[in-house]
């Protein structure tokens, strides 16, 4: 049965249902991996529940470079299988969610004395095109110095030999997660955010058979039983394995990545660019224009502290700005130009006793003696394939050990996510212009309507229905009101930061607007949820903390020593 709304009442009902009846699979973690697993398992006929201790995508899955990309960097490691797999998955993600994945031409410049030259760049991109099965219209082409500068005048001209140009897919990572969650819910999966696993439970044979869960809204302690439990908790995978006493052998090695955002007027590139840093650390960085802003990064440093909110330090910002200022012909960017920033951790896999340089970026599955399944590593692009691999194992396990299920293979290769349709990218292009016109007909500007259609896809008409509602009792502009109420009713927005950061990305790419509307957003949600003064104050504090996290480095600039 297809169910649509995903709100706080549905959340409470889902938790109640998880308690009342044994699940086939309980998934721990509401990032892209956990969401993908819930969707894959549910569409195979396995009753799935998913619990996330904070909001969906609040960890690594909303803090990436926001690219569904094919793993070009894997070629340096001669990891041809990974390039082929991730490259083919890139096309699947795009066709299943074309509204949140946009093809962009990426320039790969090569310079005199750099690690890449014309021949090696062309050869690498040719191999990439073949392995990733890139369609003819998106295959690479090469430009000489003059043509490269004509295409992107802000590239540093000194030493430039030329560029390779190829296609990557820009995405909104947090919205990709919520569209997977919504489709899983529509298929019958029981999903809940702000539900934290506090312990695992075992049967008389010492096998994991469920989890103790704390509802962080009601503070109620719940017991959820399941035939099998899958740990997809991202940076917290080892925390769950420690609960199980099975955190041996390979373990997570967390590395921090930081991205900065400036106004496009300060860094007016027209193309996405992937370039070697001008240092001796063999790192590469992305520069990506988006919605009137330009964002760029990232760093790659070991992180041993709390993965929930890794800090953006002055050292991080200095490193990224120095790289960009040396590689682009722009007025040098300063700390003051940085409007916003984000930081996240990558849960990589390291084997005990091995050198840190041998850290794997591939996904791996761990199956403990207790029966607990865990999955870690991998990339945003490969989420669907990761889900397929682990559900293959778990579904076969359930089919062999329980008499009420017959194994079914994956159903997600051509399964459109929420906001998409079976017609894929071509159908979305046909949908786009009429949908924009419908938005303009109800009072939106063309720019505002275009943003909404790309953000919500075929769900945009539901968003439009909220335009003009409640304005007599609200201080919000119609477009803010419509997006907020769509989030409350259809996307399980529980805290204001869920909306401001993950459902709308405003805290990243429209920071000034957030400062203007944050108080009204909190007030509107306080009215909607009938919050006490104490709860409202806590929500205001959370929003202000998130704002401060993105600008804290500015207060320390004077004390920074390069």
């Amino acid at each position: 049965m297809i169910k649509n709304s995903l709100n706080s009442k549905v959340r409470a009902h889902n938790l109640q249902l998880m308690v009342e009846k044994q699940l086939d699979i309980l998934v721990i973690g509401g990032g892209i991996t956990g969401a993908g697993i819930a969707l894959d398992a549910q569409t195979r006929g396995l009753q799935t529940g998913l619990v996330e201790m904070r909001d969906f995508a609040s960890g690594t899955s909303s803090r990436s470079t926001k690219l569904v990309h094919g793993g070009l960097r894997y070629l340096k490691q001669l990891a041809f299988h990974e390039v082929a797999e991730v490259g083919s998955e890139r096309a699947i993600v795009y066709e299943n969610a074309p509204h949140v994945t946009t093809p962009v031409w990426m320039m790969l410049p090569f310079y005199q004395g750099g690690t890449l030259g014309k021949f090696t760049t062309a050869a690498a991109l040719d191999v990439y095109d073949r392995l990733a099965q890139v369609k003819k219209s998106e295959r690479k082409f090469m430009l000489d110095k003059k043509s490269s500068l004509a295409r992107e005048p802000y590239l540093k001209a000194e030493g430039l030999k030329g560029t390779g140009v190829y296609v990557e897919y820009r995405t909104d990572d947090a919205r990709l997660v919520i569209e997977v969650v919504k489709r899983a819910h529509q298929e019958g999966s029981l999903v809940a955010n702000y539900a934290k696993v506090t312990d695992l439970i075992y049967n008389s044979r010492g096998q994991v058979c469920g989890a103790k869960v704390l509802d962080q809204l009601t503070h109620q302690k719940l017991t959820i039983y399941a035939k099998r439990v899958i740990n997809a908790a991202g940076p917290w995978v080892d925390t769950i394995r420690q609960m199980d006493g099975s955190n041996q052998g390979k373990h997570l090695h967390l590395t921090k990545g930081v991205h900065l955002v400036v106004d496009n007027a300060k860094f007016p590139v027209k193309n996405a660019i992937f370039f070697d840093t001008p240092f001796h650390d063999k790192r590469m960085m992305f520069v990506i224009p988006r919605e009137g802003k330009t964002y760029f990064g990232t760093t790659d440093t070991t992180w041993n502290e709390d993965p929930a909110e890794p800090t953006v330090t002055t050292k991080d910002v200095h490193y990224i700005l120095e790289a960009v200022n040396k590689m682009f012909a722009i007025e040098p960017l300063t700390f003051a130009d940085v409007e916003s920033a984000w930081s996240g951790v990558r849960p990589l896999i390291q084997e005990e006793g091995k050198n840190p340089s041998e850290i794997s970026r591939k996904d791996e599955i761990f199956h403990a003696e207790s029966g607990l399944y865990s999955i870690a590593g991998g990339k945003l692009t490969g989420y669907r394939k990761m889900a397929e691999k682990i559900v293959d194992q778990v579904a076969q396990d359930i089919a062999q050990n329980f008499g009420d299920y017959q194994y079914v293979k994956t159903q997600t290769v051509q399964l459109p996510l929420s906001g998409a349709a079976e017609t894929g990218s071509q159908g979305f292009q046909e949908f786009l212009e009429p949908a924009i016109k419908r938005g303009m007909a109800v009072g939106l500007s063309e720019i505002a309507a275009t943003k909404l259609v790309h953000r919500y896809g075929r769900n945009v008409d539901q968003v439009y229905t909220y335009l003009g509602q409640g304005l007599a009792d609200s201080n919000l502009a119609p477009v803010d009101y419509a997006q907020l109420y769509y989030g409350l009713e259809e996307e399980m927005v529980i805290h204001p930061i869920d909306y401001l950061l993950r459902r709308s990305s405003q805290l990243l790419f429209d920071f000034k607007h957030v400062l203007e509307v944050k108080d009204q957003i909190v007030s509107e949600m306080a009215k909607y949820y009938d919050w006490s003064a104490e709860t409202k104050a806590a929500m205001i504090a959370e929003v202000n903390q998130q704002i401060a996290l993105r600008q804290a480095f500015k207060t320390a600039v004077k004390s920074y020593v390069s």
Side-chain angles (χ1 to χ4, degrees):
M1 182 178 71
I2 300 295
K3 295 172 286 186
N4 292 316
S5 295
L6 192 61
N7 53 41
S8 60
K9 292 179 181 177
V10 172
R11 175 191 173 279
H13 185 58
N14 284 351
L15 287 171
Q16 181 182 342
L17 292 176
M18 285 190 245
V19 169
E20 290 176 353
K21 189 175 180 181
Q22 182 190 42
L23 300 167
D24 291 317
I25 296 175
L26 174 64
V27 181
I28 303 171
I32 191 64
T33 306
I37 291 168
L39 177 58
D40 188 285
Q42 192 68 41
T43 52
R44 298 194 201 202
L46 292 161
Q47 181 57 62
T48 306
L50 180 150
V51 290
E52 160 58 44
M53 68 175 178
R54 298 190 298 168
D55 184 33
F56 304 118
S58 57
T60 301
S61 296
S62 61
R63 301 162 189 257
S64 72
T65 307
K66 306 186 187 303
L67 289 174
V68 175
H69 61 98
L72 180 62
R73 284 177 289 188
Y74 287 158
L75 286 180
K76 280 189 175 181
Q77 305 157 4
L78 302 180
F80 298 121
H81 173 75
E82 284 75 17
V83 175
E85 181 173 281
V86 174
S88 59
E89 281 301 306
R90 183 182 67 163
I92 293 171
V93 174
Y94 175 50
E95 290 300 325
N96 287 343
H99 58 300
V100 288
T101 44
T102 303
V104 293
W105 286 101
M106 181 82 69
M107 298 181 73
L108 180 59
F110 46 92
Y111 284 84
Q112 184 72 39
T115 57
L116 294 172
K118 180 179 180 180
F119 174 77
T120 52
T121 300
L125 292 176
D126 278 335
V127 171
Y128 178 75
D129 280 351
R130 287 198 295 272
L131 289 175
Q133 302 176 49
V134 175
K135 54 190 176 185
K136 195 171 183 179
S137 63
E138 295 183 354
R139 290 177 188 165
K140 67 90 175 160
F141 58 90
M142 304 296 292
L143 297 175
D144 61 16
K145 177 177 180 177
K146 182 178 179 181
S147 299
S148 297
L149 292 173
R151 184 180 181 93
E152 186 49 74
Y154 294 99
L155 285 173
K156 184 184 72 171
E158 182 183 352
L160 179 66
K161 305 293 287 183
T163 56
V165 187
Y166 66 107
V167 167
E168 292 286 25
Y169 290 78
R170 189 183 65 205
T171 192
D172 184 326
D173 48 7
R175 287 215 58 82
L176 179 62
V177 174
I178 197 65
E179 301 296 26
V180 178
V181 169
K182 285 157 66 180
R183 184 61 201 249
H185 166 68
Q186 289 166 5
E187 294 293 333
S189 184
L190 305 172
V191 301
N193 52 3
Y194 296 98
K196 181 180 181 178
V197 169
T198 57
D199 206 354
L200 300 172
I201 54 178
Y202 300 83
N203 62 23
S204 59
R205 301 187 308 280
Q207 295 291 288
V208 171
C209 62
K212 298 285 186 180
V213 175
L214 175 66
D215 182 341
Q216 302 207 84
L217 302 187
T218 66
H219 305 292
Q220 184 179 5
K221 296 178 181 179
L222 311 172
T223 301
I224 299 173
Y225 289 96
K227 294 173 184 173
R228 294 291 181 259
V229 176
I230 300 178
N231 167 22
W236 293 272
V237 158
D238 280 356
T239 303
I240 302 298
R241 292 172 74 202
Q242 285 164 3
M243 282 183 191
D244 184 53
S246 59
N247 190 25
Q248 294 102 23
K250 296 181 179 180
H251 56 87
L252 295 190
H253 179 106
L254 304 183
T255 67
K256 183 181 76 168
V258 173
H259 295 81
L260 309 180
V261 182
V262 301
D263 194 273
N264 190 248
K266 296 282 186 179
F267 194 1
V269 291
K270 297 293 189 293
N271 299 269
I273 301 159
F274 187 33
F275 69 97
D276 273 307
T277 59
F279 311 122
H280 298 292
D281 54 7
K282 297 183 180 180
R283 284 203 48 72
M284 297 189 76
M285 285 192 183
F286 289 99
V287 170
I288 303 170
R290 171 179 170 167
E291 298 180 30
K293 307 295 179 184
T294 302
Y295 70 92
F296 43 97
T298 178
T299 57
D300 190 19
T301 54
T302 295
W303 182 255
N304 295 316
E305 300 176 45
D306 183 4
E309 295 297 345
T311 54
V312 178
T313 67
T314 52
K315 185 176 181 180
D316 297 325
V317 178
H318 179 85
Y319 173 85
I320 297 172
L321 290 181
E322 186 179 9
V324 165
N325 286 336
K326 285 184 176 181
M327 295 302 295
F328 291 88
I330 55 175
E331 185 72 25
L333 296 171
T334 68
F335 281 73
D337 295 320
V338 180
E339 294 184 1
S340 184
W342 71 87
S343 176
V345 294
R346 309 173 187 89
L348 308 180
I349 298 168
Q350 182 176 357
E351 191 166 352
E352 288 178 2
K354 289 201 173 184
N355 192 294
S357 65
E358 299 178 79
I359 294 170
S360 171
R361 292 177 181 265
K362 296 190 294 184
D363 56 279
E364 292 199 38
I365 296 168
F366 309 100
H367 189 198
E369 290 184 6
S370 67
L372 176 70
Y373 287 87
S374 299
I375 186 166
K379 295 164 61 66
L380 179 77
T381 310
Y383 86 88
R384 193 210 63 83
K385 192 66 177 180
M386 290 170 64
E388 177 185 331
K389 289 175 185 175
I390 194 167
V391 178
D392 277 349
Q393 291 188 24
V394 179
Q396 288 170 355
D397 180 350
I398 292 175
Q400 290 168 6
N401 292 289
F402 296 86
D404 56 352
Y405 177 72
Q406 186 172 352
Y407 177 80
V408 175
K409 67 178 183 179
T410 187
Q411 305 291 301
T412 59
V413 176
Q414 293 180 311
L415 184 71
L417 302 183
S418 179
E422 285 79 4
T423 49
S425 58
Q426 182 178 343
F428 180 67
Q429 290 305 314
E430 295 168 356
F431 171 83
L432 190 59
E433 187 176 345
I436 292 170
K437 288 181 178 178
R438 290 196 296 276
M440 294 170 68
V442 291
L444 296 176
S445 68
E446 184 175 3
I447 291 174
T450 301
K451 283 186 179 180
L452 290 187
V453 177
H454 278 284
R455 182 168 292 150
Y456 299 102
R458 292 175 183 270
N459 293 323
V460 73
D461 288 298
Q462 286 180 269
V463 181
Y464 290 163
T465 63
Y466 291 101
L467 289 167
Q469 292 186 22
L471 298 184
D473 302 316
S474 174
N475 292 322
L476 289 172
V479 70
D480 290 311
Y481 183 94
Q483 290 186 92
L484 175 62
Y485 271 82
Y486 179 79
L488 292 168
E489 291 291 335
E490 311 294 341
E491 295 187 338
M492 209 175 276
V493 166
I494 304 296
H495 288 201
I497 204 66
D498 303 342
Y499 167 73
L500 290 169
L501 177 55
R502 288 174 287 273
R503 304 299 186 274
S504 71
S505 296
Q506 290 180 34
L507 193 54
L508 301 182
F509 299 111
D510 202 352
F511 195 82
K512 183 179 177 182
H513 186 67
V514 168
L515 297 180
E516 293 170 351
V517 303
K518 63 183 179 71
D519 292 336
Q520 295 98 301
I521 294 291
V522 173
S523 294
E524 200 68 42
M525 289 184 64
K527 183 172 60 177
Y528 179 88
Y529 282 124
D530 194 22
W531 284 335
S532 66
E534 182 181 13
T535 299
K536 183 177 179 181
M539 295 298 178
I540 292 171
E542 183 182 47
V543 171
N544 289 336
Q545 178 198 33
Q546 288 292 325
I547 289 171
L549 278 171
R550 279 151 183 79
Q551 300 227 301
F553 61 88
K554 290 192 174 185
T555 64
V557 172
K558 292 181 181 178
S559 64
Y560 178 74
V561 178
S562 175

